[in-house]
Amino acid sequence: MGSGARHDAKFGMTNPTSAGAAAGHGARTSGYVGRLAPSPTGALHLGNARTFLLAWLAARSRGGTLRLRIEDIDGPRIQAGAAAATLDDLRWLGLDWDGEVWVQSQRLPVYADAVARLFAAGHLYPCVCTRAEIDRAASAPHGPEDDGPVYPGTCRGRFPSLAAARAATGREPALRFGVAAAALPFVDGCAGPQAGILRGDFVVQKRDGGPAYQLAVVVDDHAQGITEVVRADDLLPSTPRQLALYRALGLQPPAFRHVPLVVGGDGLRLAKRHGDTSLRHLRAQGVAAAAVVGHLGWLAGLVPRGTSCLPADLLPGFAFERLPAGPVRGDEHGLLG
Ligand code: GLU
């Protein structure tokens, strides 16, 4: 495991601004390695743009390295052109990253190898249950509805091998991780001490042989040498599962920092129904990148509302402690006329 990132000309691998970043935002002298991990399932909007800005600020303020990886293993939900559009939006905002862009769909053998190791060590079992949760497993679960009910363990101990499961049922099995611990407590950099409850056995490989999000994210965060994961706090419940995988694979987990979500006026995760906050739309309306960055900085508690600035202008006063504690209400107000 570890190598296997392939160059993909489609996404313009060589980030034109990363050389400038090394010079402009401090030499990468620290051991900090962060990452941006967009899923190309739709347009980048103010909510995920703020999370990416925070991950960028975390890395650059520490003189660290920032990796970028496209999480495109979720076949049906991937939108053509969304990966390139996301990279374009990130560059437009003035965010940069270091080294090549990794693309998960090009690393399938690496995930299969990790699954084989987990299977050989007795952590996995074939599961022939036809649950929607298995089909959704390639996506990061952004809410209980993505995750479904706790798996009751129906197939646990039922089949000695994939072949036996196929022969007995005529179905193509998924592979589930058998959770051994009730909880894996951890301290989150933003959310504080967490009980780390593990919600039942979870899928690591879908029926079609493709990896689940939980598996791919662990393999890649390790392979990219990530020391801290900065992401939105709707993924907090996934972290104990990822810790269980690190443990089973004998790998050192990164630190985790889950930032509060940006929500709409109704308190729900920012979405289309709150108005079009996609960067695409804002750009098309003639909103300047500096206005969007300032708005995101305001949503992060870093600058007053109405500020226009570059990402680097937010570095001097940057601290996660300045983030508003709860969900932040974000809209396009003040950005569109
Ligand atoms: N690619 C995932 C998403 O956009 C994020 C995964 C992660 O940060 O762990 O939903």
Short mmCIF file of all heavy atoms in Angstrom, two decimals, residues 35 37-39 71 140 142 213 217 231 235, ligand 1:
data_model
loop_
_atom_site.label_atom_id
_atom_site.label_comp_id
_atom_site.label_asym_id
_atom_site.label_seq_id
_atom_site.Cartn_x
_atom_site.Cartn_y
_atom_site.Cartn_z
N ARG A 35 -5.39 17.53 4.12
CA ARG A 35 -5.90 17.12 2.80
C ARG A 35 -7.24 17.76 2.49
O ARG A 35 -8.00 18.13 3.39
CB ARG A 35 -5.97 15.60 2.68
CG ARG A 35 -6.57 14.83 3.86
CD ARG A 35 -8.03 14.92 3.93
NE ARG A 35 -8.65 13.75 4.53
CZ ARG A 35 -9.95 13.61 4.67
NH1 ARG A 35 -10.77 14.56 4.30
NH2 ARG A 35 -10.47 12.52 5.22
N ALA A 37 -10.52 16.53 0.27
CA ALA A 37 -10.99 15.26 -0.31
C ALA A 37 -12.39 15.43 -0.91
O ALA A 37 -13.35 14.83 -0.43
CB ALA A 37 -10.98 14.16 0.75
N PRO A 38 -12.51 16.25 -1.96
CA PRO A 38 -13.84 16.46 -2.52
C PRO A 38 -14.40 15.24 -3.24
O PRO A 38 -13.64 14.48 -3.85
CB PRO A 38 -13.63 17.61 -3.52
CG PRO A 38 -12.19 17.55 -3.88
CD PRO A 38 -11.47 17.01 -2.67
N SER A 39 -15.70 15.06 -3.13
CA SER A 39 -16.41 14.05 -3.93
C SER A 39 -17.04 14.78 -5.10
O SER A 39 -17.79 15.73 -4.88
CB SER A 39 -17.52 13.39 -3.11
OG SER A 39 -16.97 12.64 -2.07
N GLU A 71 -12.49 11.92 -4.51
CA GLU A 71 -13.14 10.70 -4.01
C GLU A 71 -14.30 10.35 -4.95
O GLU A 71 -15.44 10.73 -4.73
CB GLU A 71 -13.58 10.92 -2.57
CG GLU A 71 -12.39 11.29 -1.68
CD GLU A 71 -12.54 10.90 -0.23
OE1 GLU A 71 -13.64 10.97 0.31
OE2 GLU A 71 -11.50 10.51 0.36
N ALA A 140 -19.61 8.89 1.49
CA ALA A 140 -19.48 9.26 2.90
C ALA A 140 -20.88 9.51 3.45
O ALA A 140 -21.66 10.23 2.83
CB ALA A 140 -18.64 10.52 3.01
N HIS A 142 -23.49 11.37 5.16
CA HIS A 142 -23.63 12.73 5.68
C HIS A 142 -24.87 12.88 6.55
O HIS A 142 -25.38 13.97 6.73
CB HIS A 142 -23.64 13.74 4.52
CG HIS A 142 -22.30 13.90 3.88
ND1 HIS A 142 -21.25 14.52 4.52
CD2 HIS A 142 -21.80 13.48 2.70
CE1 HIS A 142 -20.18 14.51 3.73
NE2 HIS A 142 -20.49 13.87 2.62
N TYR A 213 -16.58 3.83 1.19
CA TYR A 213 -15.93 5.08 1.62
C TYR A 213 -15.05 4.87 2.84
O TYR A 213 -13.90 5.34 2.88
CB TYR A 213 -17.03 6.15 1.90
CG TYR A 213 -16.57 7.20 2.87
CD1 TYR A 213 -15.67 8.19 2.47
CD2 TYR A 213 -16.99 7.20 4.21
CE1 TYR A 213 -15.20 9.14 3.37
CE2 TYR A 213 -16.54 8.14 5.10
CZ TYR A 213 -15.65 9.11 4.69
OH TYR A 213 -15.18 10.04 5.58
N VAL A 217 -11.11 5.82 2.49
CA VAL A 217 -10.63 7.04 3.14
C VAL A 217 -9.47 6.71 4.10
O VAL A 217 -8.49 7.46 4.20
CB VAL A 217 -11.80 7.78 3.84
CG1 VAL A 217 -12.21 7.13 5.14
CG2 VAL A 217 -11.46 9.24 4.08
N ARG A 231 -12.57 18.17 8.44
CA ARG A 231 -13.76 17.97 7.61
C ARG A 231 -14.99 18.39 8.42
O ARG A 231 -14.89 18.72 9.61
CB ARG A 231 -13.86 16.50 7.15
CG ARG A 231 -13.98 15.52 8.27
CD ARG A 231 -13.89 14.07 7.77
NE ARG A 231 -13.89 13.14 8.89
CZ ARG A 231 -13.54 11.86 8.80
NH1 ARG A 231 -13.15 11.35 7.65
NH2 ARG A 231 -13.58 11.09 9.86
N LEU A 235 -19.49 14.11 9.55
CA LEU A 235 -18.73 12.86 9.41
C LEU A 235 -18.16 12.37 10.75
O LEU A 235 -17.48 11.33 10.80
CB LEU A 235 -17.61 13.01 8.37
CG LEU A 235 -18.15 13.06 6.92
CD1 LEU A 235 -17.06 13.39 5.93
CD2 LEU A 235 -18.79 11.72 6.55
N1 GLU B 1 -15.27 12.92 0.04
C1 GLU B 1 -16.10 13.02 1.20
C2 GLU B 1 -17.25 13.92 0.90
O1 GLU B 1 -17.08 14.92 0.23
C3 GLU B 1 -15.37 13.57 2.41
C4 GLU B 1 -14.62 12.52 3.06
C5 GLU B 1 -13.77 12.94 4.22
O2 GLU B 1 -13.43 14.14 4.34
O3 GLU B 1 -13.40 12.07 4.98
O4 GLU B 1 -18.33 13.63 1.29
#
